[in-house]
């Protein structure tokens, strides 16, 4: 039995919006990072869903790549955050505005 | 195979010497003097041979010219050689005098040590480009060489550049002649737009079909170039200052050759000038005025070279007067008289080059001996400088216009032609009177100079030299020989009138005229009362100088001690305030205008540029506030933007 594509799309867009809301609204920078991961996974779900829908495995391979890249990215991001935390002694994103004018 | 095919080598030889002396002269024992002598001597041999070939055969040598710049199918500039009798005569004068001066310089500049390299380099460059100027077959090529001789003049006037006066004189000469050169360029532009080429023959051949107003302006502006280069009124004031250079330079450049370039240009532009009576009259008037005022300034010049410099300006004025008169007569339909006047001008150019070259070299010899230029410190030199004093006497007689010396023939011819033009236009009567007065003054100031230098009581400088017994010899043979040769020519160059068709072919602008034999010419000249007037003037001038400066019957000091003569003398010493006027024009006019432009540049041009940058900086200051540094702001905006695009795409897609 196949799950209709629409269901999966609704799921992925819901996840995406939740992630976006988290990125925009959350004050804790760790949570913001996690929200970004949620958005990434929404995209991955889309890739897999369309891959199955068209019967083409390329999308699934891409999803694997995407997860791999995301892992690397999170590693880098966490390293940056760790250093940032050492300097600023905070995880509040509103406190971190080094790149302003 | 004729020698004419090698005519292009004439300027190349001195230029080759220029390169060799310039790069290797310092390594040579004589600082390149011998290379310069060989280069200029070779050019002289070739030039004399070429001139002989052209003058005797009467053929105008004009090989196919090379296309240099082709602007479009009908606008082109070329490079080529054109030797007619006028150019041939110039070749003789320039190459011959240049050779003698270079030989003379080897002795005269001997005490200059390593500096001689620079001297000979610049002299070789000058001779090369001057010969190139003469050989050009179009006005543009002439103009290029014209500027180069100007450059050489600048370099050589400023030869002793560490002297402030020399540096100033060089700058002045360069800038003042530049005024004329700008006029000349305007003339060239006019000719180029009218004829689409600057070739002499092409222009001369199409004068009747061209626009007469343009031609008149072109003639006027071309003559403007001559005013600058030949030191005509009102741009004459640089030449007396140019005497700051070595005397040999004054002899070669500022008496015998470069200043004649202006006359040569006027001769080349003669057919153009002759198309307009007004311009011709203007040329003649400038010549007459220059001859007159320069002669007055020579009357009381304190330095020996100063006298000669004013005299040069005055004699150049005579030449220009002759050419202007010729153009006027030609314009009025008197073609034969017109070309006679034209020939008289060029004849005077040649004679003047010889006797003035001689006088300057003689003055060089005198200065070399006494070590001063002040006439009042000389005196009594005749006893110690026999060759110099006698050869200079010959030249003085020649320039004064005593019969059978060359200066007499050409000056008399010029005055006769000016008087002839009186029939057509009364202004020429005034010019003739000025010319005759100039003849009187010429005789007076030349003999004033001669008597003051060579006769009478020994002056300060003379005594000093004799007491210290420094020079018992008057000058080395390399200096005396040119003096003697030039003195012989100062007497004898008039004989060229009678050598076959020789010089007479210069006199003919076109058409066949009857060349007079010696007897006919003598008859014609001496049967005219005008001749006796000019002889009387010359004799009177010499007599006055004799009684004033040799016999001392008339005391010059008493005459100028008070009243009008004193004021006049001061005015003459101030050169009619011309230097002051130049400075005024320079400082107030040009400098003031430049200051105005500077203000415009500072406040308007810079204002616009700085204003734009200030605006951009301010605007940037405002806009950069959007860079808050809060990551969430950026993300929000990004998401909003993307959403907006999606919505828009959706809406547009729906509307399709």
């Amino acid at each position: 039995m196949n799950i209709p594509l629409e269901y999966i799309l609704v799921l992925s867009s819901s996840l995406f919006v939740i992630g976006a809301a988290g990125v925009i609204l959350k004050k804790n920078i760790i949570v913001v990072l996690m929200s970004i991961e949620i958005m990434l996974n929404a995209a991955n779900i889309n890739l897999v869903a369309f891959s199955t829908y068209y019967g083409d495995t390329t999308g699934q391979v891409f999803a694997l790549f995407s997860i791999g890249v995301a892992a690397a990215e999170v590693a880098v991001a966490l390293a940056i955050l760790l250093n940032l935390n050492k300097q600023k002694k905070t995880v509040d994103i509103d406190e971190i505005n080094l790149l302003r004018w | 195979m004729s020698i004419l095919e090698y005519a292009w080598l004439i300027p190349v030889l001195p230029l080759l010497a220029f390169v060799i002396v310039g790069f290797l002269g310092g390594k040579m024992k004589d600082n390149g003097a011998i290379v310069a002598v060989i280069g200029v001597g070779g050019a002289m041999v070739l030039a004399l041979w070429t001139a002989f070939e052209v003058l005797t055969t009467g053929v105008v040598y004009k090989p196919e010219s090379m296309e240099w710049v082709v602007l479009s199918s009908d606008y082109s500039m070329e490079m080529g050689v054109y030797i007619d009798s006028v150019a041939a005569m110039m070749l003789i004068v320039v190459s011959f005098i240049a050779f003698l001066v270079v030989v003379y310089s080897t002795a005269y500049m001997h005490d200059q040590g390593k500096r001689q390299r620079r001297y000979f380099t610049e002299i070789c460059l000058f001779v090369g480009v001057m010969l190139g100027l003469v050989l050009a077959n179009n006005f543009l090529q002439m103009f290029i060489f014209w500027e180069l001789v100007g450059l050489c003049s600048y370099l050589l006037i400023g030869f002793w550049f560490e002297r402030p006066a020399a540096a100033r004189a060089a700058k002045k000469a360069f800038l003042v002649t530049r005024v004329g050169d700008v006029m000349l360029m305007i003339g060239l532009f006019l000719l180029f737009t009218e004829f689409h080429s600057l070739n002499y023959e092409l222009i001369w051949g199409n004068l009747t079909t061209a626009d007469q107003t343009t031609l008149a302006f072109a003639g006027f502006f071309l003559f403007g170039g001559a005013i600058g280069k030949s030191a005509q009124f009102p741009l004459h004031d640089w030449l007396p200052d140019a005497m700051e250079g070595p005397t040999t330079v004054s002899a070669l450049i500022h008496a015998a050759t470069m200043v004649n370039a202006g006359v040569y240009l006027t001769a080349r532009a003669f057919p153009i000038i002759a198309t307009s009576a007004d311009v011709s009259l203007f040329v003649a008037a400038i010549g007459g005025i220059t001859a007159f005022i320069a002669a007055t300034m020579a009357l009381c010049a304190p330095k020996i070279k100063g006298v000669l410099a004013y005299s040069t300006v005055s004699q150049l004025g005579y030449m220009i007067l002759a050419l202007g008169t010729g153009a006027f007569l030609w314009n009025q339909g008197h073609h034969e008289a017109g070309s006679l006047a034209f020939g008289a001008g060029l004849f005077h150019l040649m004679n003047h080059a010889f006797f003035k070259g001689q006088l300057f070299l003689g003055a060089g010899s005198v200065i070399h001996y006494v070590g001063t230029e002040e006439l009042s410190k000389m005196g009594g030199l005749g006893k110690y400088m026999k060759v110099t004093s006698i050869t200079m006497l010959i030249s003085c007689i020649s320039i004064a216009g005593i019969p059978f010396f060359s200066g007499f023939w050409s000056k008399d011819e010029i005055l006769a032609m000016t008087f002839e033009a009186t029939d057509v236009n009364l202004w020429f009567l005034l010019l003739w009177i000025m010319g005759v007065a100039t003849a009187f003054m010429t005789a007076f100031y030349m003999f004033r100079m001669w008597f003051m230098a060579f006769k009478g009581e020994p002056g300060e400088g003379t005594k000093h030299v004799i007491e210290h017994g420094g020079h018992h010899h008057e000058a080395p043979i390399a200096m005396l020989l040119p003096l003697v040769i030039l003195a012989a020519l100062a007497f004898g160059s008039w004989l060229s009138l009678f050598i076959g068709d020789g010089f007479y072919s210069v006199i003919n602008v076109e058409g066949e005229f009857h060349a007079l034999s010696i007897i006919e010419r003598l008859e014609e000249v001496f049967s005219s009362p005008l001749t006796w007037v000019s002889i009387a003037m010359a004799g009177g001038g010499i007599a006055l100088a004799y009684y004033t400066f040799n016999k001392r019957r008339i005391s010059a000091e008493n005459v100028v001690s008070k009243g009008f003569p004193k004021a006049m003398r001061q005015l003459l010493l101030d050169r009619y305030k011309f230097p002051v006027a130049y400075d005024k024009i320079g400082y107030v006019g040009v400098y003031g205008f430049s200051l105005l432009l500077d203000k415009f540049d500072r406040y308007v041009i810079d204002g616009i540029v700085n204003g734009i940058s200030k605006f951009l900086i301010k605007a940037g200051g405002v806009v950069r506030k959007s860079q808050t540094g809060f990551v969430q702001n950026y993300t929000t905006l990004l998401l909003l933007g993307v959403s907006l695009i999606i919505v828009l795409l959706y809406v547009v897609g729906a509307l399709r």
Side-chain angles (χ1 to χ4, degrees), chain A residues 20 23-24 26-27 32 93-94 96-97 100-101, chain B residues 624-625 627-632 634-636 639:
Chain A
V23 168
I24 293 169
K26 279 293 177 183
K27 291 299 162 202
V32 169
I93 201 157
D94 286 345
I96 302 161
N97 54 0
R100 67 202 301 235
W101 68 86
Chain B
R624 74 174 186 174
K625 292 281 195 302
Q627 300 287 324
T628 55
F630 295 114
V631 185
Q632 287 181 325
Y634 302 159
T635 322
T636 314
L639 278 174

Side-chain angles (χ1 to χ4, degrees), chain B residues 608-626:
Chain B
I608 290 171
V609 174
N610 291 343
I612 288 173
S613 80
K614 262 186 200 140
F615 167 76
L616 287 178
I617 289 168
K618 284 247 165 64
V622 173
V623 176
R624 74 174 186 174
K625 292 281 195 302
S626 63

Side-chain angles (χ1 to χ4, degrees), chain B residues 1 107 125 135 163 173 201 260 293 310 332 373 391 407 465 488 491 526 537 544-545 557 589 594 608:
Chain B
M1 202 62 145
L125 176 65
L135 289 179
R163 289 187 197 164
E201 287 216 309
N260 289 341
I293 65 162
Y310 291 122
Q332 300 296 315
E373 288 187 28
T391 51
V465 173
F491 168 71
F526 288 102
M537 284 296 164
L544 186 61
E557 288 77 19
S594 308
I608 290 171

Side-chain angles (χ1 to χ4, degrees), chain A residues 20-93:
Chain A
V23 168
I24 293 169
L25 299 173
K26 279 293 177 183
K27 291 299 162 202
N28 190 322
I29 198 158
I30 306 287
V31 181
V32 169
L33 202 59
M34 285 158 69
S35 305
I36 291 173
E37 290 306 311
I38 292 174
M39 288 164 77
L40 249 168
N41 283 325
N44 284 342
I45 287 171
N46 263 3
L47 278 172
V48 178
F50 280 107
S51 161
T52 321
Y53 183 72
Y54 289 114
D56 183 353
T57 49
T58 317
Q60 298 183 22
V61 175
F62 252 102
L64 283 174
F65 271 111
S66 173
I67 290 164
V69 171
E73 175 233 304
V74 167
V76 173
L78 281 174
I80 292 172
L81 286 186
L82 216 56
N83 276 311
L84 198 64
N85 189 248
K86 268 185 195 161
Q87 301 253 327
K88 285 272 186 181
K89 306 284 179 211
T90 177
V91 286
D92 186 350
I93 201 157

Side-chain angles (χ1 to χ4, degrees), chain B residues 239-493:
Chain B
L239 190 57
D241 281 343
M243 296 301 127
E244 287 294 336
T247 311
T248 46
V249 170
S250 309
L252 179 61
I253 300 185
H254 305 115
T257 54
M258 188 197 80
V259 287
N260 289 341
V263 181
Y264 182 68
L265 170 71
T266 315
R268 284 305 186 208
F270 183 83
I272 302 167
I273 291 169
T275 56
S276 158
D278 294 333
V279 176
S280 307
L281 187 58
F282 174 75
V283 172
I286 288 288
I289 294 169
T290 309
F292 185 79
I293 65 162
T296 57
M297 286 189 281
L299 292 176
C300 58
K303 289 185 178 179
I304 185 166
K305 281 174 76 183
V307 176
L308 295 175
Y310 291 122
S311 167
T312 304
V313 176
S314 171
Q315 300 298 314
L316 288 166
Y318 266 135
M319 297 170 210
I320 296 290
L321 170 64
L323 292 180
T325 308
F328 186 80
L329 286 167
W330 186 280
N331 179 267
Q332 300 296 315
H334 304 275
H335 287 197
E336 179 159 358
S339 41
L340 277 176
F342 175 84
L346 291 172
F347 186 32
H348 197 57
L349 184 157
M350 182 179 84
N351 294 338
H352 172 258
F354 290 136
F355 56 64
K356 192 52 65 63
Q358 199 283 331
L359 284 167
F360 265 113
L361 293 184
S365 168
V366 171
I367 296 166
H368 191 67
Y369 186 80
V370 287
T372 175
E373 288 187 28
E374 301 289 334
L375 276 171
S376 54
K377 292 184 181 167
M378 296 173 185
L381 284 171
K383 235 188 303 176
Y384 310 100
M385 311 187 73
K386 288 232 160 50
V387 181
T388 310
S389 70
I390 292 170
T391 51
M392 278 182 85
L393 179 64
I394 293 172
S395 299
C396 284
I397 297 175
S398 187
I399 192 174
I402 293 298
F404 306 113
F405 284 72
S406 59
F408 163 75
W409 297 94
S410 47
K411 191 186 285 187
D412 186 63
E413 184 80 5
I414 291 170
L415 291 175
M417 296 325 292
T418 314
F419 192 76
E420 196 164 321
T422 310
D423 292 342
V424 192
N425 190 318
L426 258 183
W427 280 110
F428 281 96
L429 186 63
L430 185 65
L431 291 176
W432 179 75
I433 292 170
M434 283 166 103
V436 171
T438 306
F440 175 78
M441 289 189 282
T442 307
F444 176 76
Y445 66 66
M446 287 320 296
F447 276 87
R448 167 180 173 269
M449 181 200 86
W450 195 81
F451 285 129
M452 280 180 89
F454 295 112
K455 291 287 168 193
E457 292 299 307
E460 224 175 289
T462 318
K463 274 187 207 147
H464 183 80
V465 173
I466 295 160
E467 278 160 18
H468 289 72
H471 305 262
H472 280 298
H473 58 288
E474 79 176 274
I477 187 77
M479 281 168 73
L480 292 183
L481 202 63
L483 288 184
V484 174
I485 294 173
L486 281 174
L489 284 165
F491 168 71
S493 60

